[in-house]
Amino acid sequence: MNVVILAAGMGKRMQSDLPKVLHALAGKPLLSHVIDTARSLSPSRICVIYGHGGDAVPSRLAADDLRFVIQQPQLGTGHAVMQAVPELSDDEPTLVLYGDVPLTSAATLTSLAEQAGSDKLAVLTVNLADPTGYGRIVRENARIVRIVEQKDASAAERSINEVNTGILIAPTKALKAWLSSLSNDNAQQEYYLTDIIAMAVRDGVPVESAQPAYVWETLGVNSKVQLAELERIHQRNIADALLEQGVTLADPARLDVRGTLVCGRDVEIDVGCVFEGRVELADGVKVGAHCVIRNATVLQRAAIKPFCHIDEATVGAESQIGPYARLRPGTVLGGDVHIGNFVEVKNGSFGAHSKANHLAYVGDATVGSRVNIGAGTITCNYDGANKHRTIIEDDAFIGSDSQLVAPVTVGKGATLGAGTTLTKDAPAGALTVSRARQVSIAGWQRPVKQKKQD
């Protein structure tokens, strides 16, 4: 099929300079959700009609399988689809979607396409308790004969609860003919795509309908309030799916997945956690409250304690992270590694059973197995122009408040005394100390604060 996505609207109620369809839902633009759903249908072509915001939409979402066509000026939904006509193959039906309606499922669209077949027009409709603002589906003898917009509807027509979602599929050759016959003789002086329904009836083309499994599949975004409402609906759907898979969520209403979250068995997630990009949590992983994890892999039975930030990192099996730890891009931790409170690791690797339990910065470093890094230790990896690497070999012990000035190597089994500033390699198996000699001065008097004179 051909797919046309209407994404030219300004979205005045969003109160933003950003085009409405680029506002994010679950971490990606509204329009991206619609495009991804369209792609799942394996269409021959996807044509995106853009307008407000200039080239912001095509420049943000450009892809080889997308064709972008500008609508300028914006004269209604029918006028928008007219802009796509040169891109549409007559041999396939055309599905019309909306860039601000992000949650329509592929299953619903497949059902709609099945109703249309190759020679019928099919409209996605929904029944609403309060249909105010929507175009009403007018039927005669149960058959759809036309759609009337709210401002053009009579009192009787306004009492109809079945409404038009705007989503439809039609035989393309007929669609092009109907589009060329559209008129803007209406209250809005716009070319309504919905007017093609009456044209189809006039031409003897059957008009069918389908309905979604859930009303929220048809909800659009016209304000930040509606965006927030859809965000919670979407996140609750994700949470329910995770619960069905066996994941334990302390509170399904306090979870945000802004990408893909893949969980093994017996995973536990506490409140307020945010998952971005692709995150994989293996069997038995526990994630404490208020963690932010992005593009990361956490292996079996690792424990992420509260308030940790993990970004493009791998956490080994049985490891313990946090609380208040930060793993930055390029971090790879082996099994049973402990990264404690207020420890930051960047572009570094830790071998199995190594520990940095508190108040340390380990950047651009290769840390072996069974290494202990004391509190206050930092790797001085940046000389003001270039980054340099620190190597700490197996079984080394780094005393508290040490500075390792890269490039430097701590040999296997070496010990650095507390307070050491290491500027040369520390030999294996030896104690290396670099500190001023301790001096005690007998009889020294601490200064006394002088009294202010009147």
Side-chain angles (χ1 to χ4, degrees), residues 343-359:
V343 175
E344 179 180 353
V345 182
K346 188 271 291 187
N347 191 28
S349 63
F350 275 63
H353 314 298
S354 290
K355 299 178 181 179
N357 276 326
H358 31 227
L359 302 166

Side-chain angles (χ1 to χ4, degrees), residues 311-315 327-333 345-350:
D311 187 4
E312 296 185 13
T314 298
V315 177
L327 305 183
R328 291 171 59 191
T331 296
V332 179
L333 307 182
V345 182
K346 188 271 291 187
N347 191 28
S349 63
F350 275 63

Side-chain angles (χ1 to χ4, degrees), residues 9 48 107 127 134 139 221 258 261 323 414:
V48 178
N127 289 89
Y134 287 86
R139 294 178 181 265
V221 173
R258 301 168 187 169
L261 175 60

Side-chain angles (χ1 to χ4, degrees), residues 275-318:
F275 300 92
E276 300 180 342
R278 181 176 178 84
V279 176
E280 297 184 25
L281 306 179
D283 295 352
V285 167
K286 293 180 173 57
V287 181
H290 306 294
C291 292
V292 179
I293 304 179
R294 176 179 177 271
N295 291 330
T297 299
V298 183
L299 299 180
Q300 291 84 353
R301 296 174 297 284
I304 313 299
K305 297 177 182 178
F307 298 100
C308 291
H309 283 216
I310 300 175
D311 187 4
E312 296 185 13
T314 298
V315 177
E318 312 281 351

Side-chain angles (χ1 to χ4, degrees), residues 402 410 414-418 420-422 424-427 430-435:
S402 294
V410 178
T415 299
L416 299 191
T420 292
T421 298
L422 191 72
K424 299 178 181 179
D425 292 351
L431 170 65
T432 298
V433 181
S434 170
R435 64 166 78 117

